[in-house]
Amino acid sequence: MDKYSLNAFAVAFTQKAFQKQGYSIEESPASLGEVNFLAIPDKGTPKKIKVRSAAKPASYIFITKDKFNINDTDLYLAVVYVPGDPKDAILYVIPAIEWGKNIYPFIGRDYNKQGQISPPEWGISPSQKAIDAMESYRGLQKVIS
């Protein structure tokens, strides 16, 4: 699966997971920026979902800081790990506020040294250890609870 197919699969997979838990799905309004979709519960506040995908455990997953406000309690990063066969895909749903807690595997990079030109970003450290550390974010527990 190429990068674009993997990302399209990840968005559809994540939307289906939310729908199975009773959420309605709405396309993201332009005013919300880079959010892939809104997950609307029967009661409560809509959840803003940004989706990223990975096909290898050592894939670095990131989003630029200007497109991911870690102080927004309704914003989540959904990471879909597809280890080979899409039927084996694993969904991790991580509240944006986790990046503000300075806990592994969630990292921030500012790239503010001389000669660095990449924009600041929030990321997930790329390793099998990071995948293991994300186990408590597997599924939709952190969103529903």
Side-chain angles (χ1 to χ4, degrees):
M1 198 177 314
D2 67 38
K3 178 181 175 180
Y4 298 105
S5 298
L6 182 63
N7 288 335
F9 170 80
V11 171
F13 182 83
T14 304
Q15 289 176 337
K16 185 180 279 188
F18 274 91
Q19 287 171 325
K20 285 181 180 178
Q21 294 296 322
Y23 287 83
S24 299
I25 302 299
E26 287 186 13
E27 293 300 315
S28 174
S31 63
L32 290 180
E34 295 291 319
V35 175
N36 291 92
F37 64 90
L38 297 174
I40 315 291
D42 286 336
K43 296 178 184 176
T45 307
K47 309 303 181 197
K48 298 176 233 172
I49 312 299
K50 180 64 186 166
V51 181
R52 290 286 191 257
S53 60
K56 300 174 191 162
S59 297
Y60 178 57
I61 298 162
F62 71 95
I63 186 166
T64 58
K65 287 185 177 183
D66 64 336
K67 293 184 171 93
F68 196 71
N69 178 2
I70 65 167
N71 296 312
D72 185 342
T73 58
D74 297 319
L75 179 61
Y76 295 80
L77 182 65
V79 176
V80 179
Y81 171 51
V82 185
D85 191 328
K87 71 177 176 51
D88 297 326
I90 301 168
L91 173 63
Y92 301 90
V93 181
I94 308 154
I97 60 173
E98 296 300 282
W99 273 267
K101 296 178 180 177
N102 196 26
I103 56 174
Y104 182 83
F106 310 118
I107 59 175
R109 294 188 171 147
D110 289 324
Y111 301 115
N112 54 6
K113 295 179 182 166
Q114 178 104 16
Q116 293 180 326
I117 57 171
S118 294
E121 64 196 27
W122 299 112
I124 299 173
S125 183
S127 68
Q128 183 60 51
K129 182 179 172 186
I131 294 287
D132 295 342
M134 289 176 24
E135 189 60 31
S136 66
Y137 301 95
R138 190 171 178 164
L140 296 175
Q141 306 90 320
K142 291 282 184 174
V143 178
I144 294 171
S145 58

